[in-house]
Amino acid sequence: MADIVKQILVRPIQLADQITKASDEAYSFRQECLEVKAKTEKLAGLLRQAARASNDLYERPTRRIIDDTEQVLFKALALVEKCRATGLMKRVFTIIPAAAFRKITMQLENSIGDVSWLLRVSASGDDRDDEYLGLPPIAANEPILCLIWEQVAILFTGSLDDRSDAAASLVSLARDNDRYGRLIIEEGGVPPLLKLAKEGKMEGQENAARAIGLLGRDPESVEQIVNAGVCQVFAKILKEGHMKVQTVVAWAVSELASNHPKCQDHFAQNNIIRFLVSHLAFETVQEHSKYAIVSNKQTLSSIHTVVMASNTNPTGKKENSEQDETKSNISHPMSNQTPSQMHSLITNTLAMKGSGPSSGSGSGSGSGTNKNQIKQSNQQHQNHTKGGSNPRGNNPTHVSLMGTSIKGREFEDPATKAQMKAMAARALWQLSRGNLQICRSITESRALLCFAVLLEKGDDEVKSYSALAMMEITDVAEQYPELRRSAFKPTSPAAKAVVEQLLKVIENEITDLLIPCIKSIGSLSRTFRATETRIIGPLVKLLDEREAEVAMEAAVALIKFSCTDNFLRDNHSKAIIAAGGAKHLIQLVYFGEQMVQVPALMLLCYIALNVPDSEALAQEEVLVVLEWSTKQAHLVEAPTIDEILPEAKSRLELYQSRGSRGFH
């Protein structure tokens, strides 16, 4: 950058020298020319000082200030040149207004102020005075821009403490106004922020990460931040940084991914999914299990594999996974055990199998069977489940709190741990949105089991983000059968635990978690077997006098159970009728809000198509409801209704006699 700055400064220095020479040769307005010469020489001295300090100059304001200064010097040179006229006729006909010298003198004074400010703001932390630098004359039209220049310059050359304060100032600016955020990016603020996040003290790292998260307000801004290398910096912090910094970084990842989903793959390529899952699993499930499922049949390398090994049937026969959705008669997941029992099962099985890898790296690699490690991990698990602290927790000040150090993380306060889990879940929620590869990575890790445990035992914020993450993962699983079959097959212990917790939320109608959990169950509708009937009842219950949004989501979820894409639609439709769904749907079609009427009518149509000979439908006079609906313009014109309603009506007319409909 020093060479670029020197090139920028060459032309104005040459112009200043020409003005000095021309002023000495002036014939008219000599006193005014000498005053211009004095100002120009002072400005030239500052420009030469800037050239000597070119290594330290902040390029963005340098370009802007030097460009303006160059224009002023051009005007000054043209004015002085007029005073050099030697011929009598030239002097007579050369008209120079008296105000021209006053104007050019003021402009030169402003340029002197601008260059002086540039030198002060670009000075290193040791050379800069603690006094407020003030704003240069160039800031008259846009003071915020100069304030941004000042803070970014401090990020380049200030001490660690000064850089931390500058990052905090940029946080305030970016939070206040989207335009300010774009200016910070345009003025080169991202690279020094990333450098501070990588090298600064804890407070400075937090401020830098928070500023980066706030700057990524739109896809273009996120793209520039990613191109500046944010993925590598954030990955290093999530692996080795202090947990408080890691919390802010996880939040920043969620913000960037939310505002520009195309950056998801960049984060995934830098192992950020793996690090986030590691934080989610810390003190949630067995810490020493491997990150991903390995195909090696001789090694039980994941929680899924280990627990499945302990859940094999007595005959030792392996079930056919291709027939899971249609032919198996195994009862619902976790019908005879509690989540806490599953947690104990995981821990005990891993201890017996000795599958825990080395705990020092935190990277999920290694396959040793060190008994001391197993004993230590079991002791840590017991301490966690009893709510106690680590026996060595009486002297936390001498332990390095590093992200990959289990010992270090154990000494963090509970609030920080809870916040870290919440932000990790938040980041996974945004990263998994519509991304098959990331969802596959998450489901092959410990994350599903973590979400199940956190949905039951986590803090409110952790529960909320865990539910949202599950909603996005199951939505992708609904679209891609291969992911659905591998991650949510009925024999998967993690999938069983997740379904159990989703059902518990729906049955207890936990308000903050209800809608994402309803959506998740609906997305998993094709994974349930014919014998699994208890899924339907809680959803049908939500159709009865609930908030419009809840009733709508329940109807949409039930549509996925009864639609033509579901192989077991007949069984599910009968279960809906048995749970009293027809009566609730009729009420919603007649009296519900429009947002509920359409899905309620659509569900009623699917049920009529699947079981048109149902006596319950005849008794509830569903055919009358469908006939009434055909006369309602707002229902008939709905794109999802216009085809299915006539077909459902004709099927009911065909299968239900007039007598069964109560007509005499």
Side-chain angles (χ1 to χ4, degrees):
M1 189 179 76
D3 293 338
I4 297 175
V5 172
K6 286 180 179 178
Q7 292 175 6
I8 295 172
L9 291 168
V10 167
R11 182 59 177 162
I13 291 174
Q14 291 175 345
L15 287 172
D17 291 341
Q18 292 176 23
I19 292 171
T20 300
K21 182 178 179 181
S23 298
D24 291 335
E25 299 173 355
Y27 285 91
S28 58
F29 297 98
R30 186 165 181 80
Q31 186 61 39
E32 288 81 355
C33 288
L34 292 177
E35 186 176 351
V36 169
K37 175 185 175 182
K39 298 290 184 184
T40 303
E41 287 179 341
K42 184 176 180 180
L43 179 58
L46 292 173
L47 292 173
R48 287 186 168 86
Q49 184 180 344
R52 291 192 295 271
S54 56
N55 289 325
D56 299 326
L57 290 183
Y58 172 24
E59 182 181 352
R60 293 291 299 191
T62 299
R63 285 185 178 277
R64 179 79 172 267
I65 289 172
I66 298 305
D67 284 346
D68 286 2
T69 300
E70 188 173 332
Q71 295 301 318
V72 171
L73 290 173
F74 268 122
K75 294 177 182 178
L77 179 61
L79 182 61
V80 174
E81 287 284 355
K82 292 180 179 180
C83 298
R84 293 175 60 189
T86 56
L88 177 62
M89 295 301 294
K90 287 184 178 181
R91 290 201 299 271
V92 170
F93 290 100
T94 299
I95 301 174
I96 302 176
F101 282 99
R102 291 197 299 271
K103 183 178 179 180
I104 202 65
T105 302
M106 183 180 66
Q107 290 178 343
L108 286 170
E109 191 66 41
N110 288 341
S111 294
I112 291 170
D114 290 338
V115 177
S116 299
W117 177 87
L118 177 63
L119 290 171
R120 293 199 309 274
V121 83
S122 299
S124 62
D126 296 335
D127 298 333
R128 186 186 294 116
D129 296 332
D130 293 335
E131 297 180 1
Y132 175 60
L133 296 177
L135 293 177
I138 198 174
N141 296 327
E142 198 166 19
I144 290 297
L145 179 59
C146 293
L147 181 58
I148 290 172
W149 282 343
E150 181 179 341
Q151 302 307 319
V152 175
I154 294 172
L155 284 175
F156 275 114
T157 61
S159 64
L160 289 180
D161 291 336
D162 291 339
R163 290 160 65 187
S164 176
D165 293 339
S169 298
L170 293 180
V171 166
S172 299
L173 289 171
R175 183 183 287 128
D176 291 342
N177 192 297
D178 289 355
R179 179 174 173 274
Y180 297 164
R182 287 191 289 271
L183 280 175
I184 292 170
I185 295 175
E186 292 172 3
E187 300 306 318
V190 173
L193 283 172
L194 290 176
K195 186 177 181 181
L196 178 62
K198 186 164 54 175
E199 302 173 355
K201 298 178 182 178
M202 186 177 71
E203 183 181 1
Q205 289 180 309
E206 288 185 75
N207 291 336
R210 189 173 290 108
I212 291 168
L214 289 170
L215 291 178
R217 295 281 184 87
D218 56 78
E220 183 180 355
S221 298
V222 175
E223 194 73 33
Q224 294 181 35
I225 293 171
V226 170
N227 291 338
V230 68
C231 298
Q232 296 87 336
V233 175
F234 278 5
K236 183 176 178 62
I237 293 173
L238 288 173
K239 181 180 179 182
E240 302 174 354
H242 192 286
M243 186 174 285
K244 290 185 177 180
V245 181
Q246 291 172 334
T247 300
V248 182
V249 165
W251 168 83
V253 169
S254 70
E255 287 291 301
L256 298 178
S258 172
N259 294 322
H260 187 44
K262 289 186 178 180
C263 74
Q264 294 170 337
D265 292 333
H266 293 285
F267 286 117
Q269 291 165 5
N270 286 273
N271 288 331
I272 283 182
I273 305 299
R274 171 183 175 179
F275 298 137
L276 291 170
V277 172
S278 175
H279 285 292
L280 203 67
F282 175 64
E283 293 185 351
T284 303
V285 298
Q286 175 64 33
E287 178 68 20
H288 300 295
S289 60
K290 282 192 176 182
Y291 169 73
I293 295 175
V294 180
S295 59
N296 185 357
K297 296 181 180 180
Q298 297 178 353
T299 305
L300 296 176
S301 59
S302 72
I303 285 180
H304 302 71
T305 310
V306 173
V307 182
M308 286 179 67
S310 65
N311 286 344
T312 53
N313 55 47
T315 62
K317 295 181 180 180
K318 183 178 180 181
E319 296 188 21
N320 189 342
S321 59
E322 297 295 331
Q323 300 175 353
D324 281 345
E325 293 186 9
T326 58
K327 297 184 178 180
S328 179
N329 294 322
I330 294 179
S331 60
H332 187 273
M334 294 185 67
S335 59
N336 59 354
Q337 62 183 5
T338 63
S340 60
Q341 290 173 331
M342 174 167 285
H343 199 117
S344 301
L345 174 63
I346 295 166
T347 306
N348 295 335
T349 306
L350 283 171
M352 289 187 294
K353 297 294 181 180
S355 62
S358 174
S359 62
S361 65
S363 60
S365 61
S367 57
T369 58
N370 191 315
K371 295 182 179 179
N372 292 331
Q373 295 172 353
I374 296 172
K375 182 177 179 181
Q376 181 181 359
S377 81
N378 288 339
Q379 182 64 38
Q380 291 170 352
H381 172 71
Q382 292 171 7
N383 291 338
H384 172 61
T385 55
K386 292 178 182 178
S389 60
N390 190 285
R392 290 171 291 178
N394 55 357
N395 188 20
T397 56
H398 299 293
V399 178
S400 175
L401 301 179
M402 300 301 287
T404 54
S405 169
I406 294 176
K407 295 179 182 178
R409 289 191 290 183
E410 285 177 350
F411 287 104
E412 286 289 356
D413 61 280
T416 301
K417 293 178 183 178
Q419 187 68 9
M420 180 70 246
K421 290 184 187 300
M423 292 302 103
R426 189 180 198 265
L428 290 172
W429 162 40
Q430 295 296 343
L431 289 169
S432 62
R433 179 173 293 176
N435 194 303
L436 174 61
Q437 295 301 325
I438 290 179
C439 287
R440 182 180 289 119
S441 298
I442 292 174
T443 55
E444 289 176 352
S445 71
R446 299 165 287 179
L448 286 185
L449 192 57
C450 293
F451 288 135
V453 175
L454 293 173
L455 276 173
E456 180 186 21
K457 300 180 179 180
D459 293 345
D460 290 343
E461 192 176 21
V462 179
K463 287 181 179 179
S464 177
Y465 289 130
S466 297
L468 290 169
M470 283 308 311
M471 178 185 70
E472 294 299 336
I473 294 169
T474 53
D475 180 66
V476 175
E478 181 183 11
Q479 302 173 43
Y480 297 96
E482 66 274 15
L483 177 63
R484 186 171 65 249
R485 296 191 187 104
S486 64
F488 295 100
K489 56 186 177 182
T491 55
S492 167
K496 292 178 182 180
V498 166
V499 170
E500 183 70 20
Q501 293 308 315
L502 293 176
L503 276 178
K504 186 177 293 186
V505 170
I506 295 173
E507 289 170 350
N508 296 332
E509 298 187 25
I510 303 175
T511 306
D512 295 338
L513 310 178
L514 193 54
I515 289 178
C517 289
I518 293 172
K519 290 182 177 180
S520 296
I521 286 291
S523 298
L524 296 176
S525 59
R526 281 182 278 180
T527 66
F528 299 108
R529 295 162 170 158
T531 55
E532 191 51 81
T533 57
R534 67 173 186 148
I535 303 289
I536 302 297
L539 290 174
V540 172
K541 184 181 176 183
L542 296 177
L543 298 173
D544 183 22
E545 297 181 1
R546 298 301 191 276
E547 294 181 5
E549 188 176 5
V550 173
M552 180 193 71
E553 293 298 344
V556 170
L558 289 169
I559 287 172
K560 295 179 180 180
F561 280 88
S562 58
C563 67
T564 54
D565 293 336
N566 197 307
F567 184 80
L568 300 175
R569 55 188 176 275
D570 293 352
N571 304 70
H572 295 317
S573 296
K574 292 175 182 177
I576 294 172
I577 295 172
K583 178 176 63 177
H584 300 322
L585 291 172
I586 290 171
Q587 294 293 320
L588 291 175
V589 172
Y590 278 139
F591 307 112
E593 297 181 22
Q594 186 171 348
M595 65 183 296
V596 185
Q597 279 184 306
V598 173
L601 178 58
M602 190 174 180
L603 176 56
L604 204 58
C605 290
Y606 275 122
I607 294 173
L609 286 172
N610 296 333
V611 284
D613 55 347
S614 170
E615 187 64 26
L617 295 183
Q619 292 177 357
E620 296 291 344
E621 298 186 352
V622 172
L623 181 56
V624 176
V625 179
L626 299 186
E627 289 175 345
W628 175 84
S629 300
T630 59
K631 301 174 184 178
Q632 309 303 312
H634 68 285
L635 294 178
V636 176
E637 293 174 359
T640 55
I641 296 295
D642 56 353
E643 294 183 3
I644 191 174
L645 178 57
E647 186 179 356
K649 179 173 173 290
S650 63
R651 289 290 292 274
L652 280 184
E653 290 174 341
L654 178 64
Y655 279 88
Q656 295 187 5
S657 65
R658 295 181 64 84
S660 66
R661 302 201 310 264
F663 296 154
H664 301 287

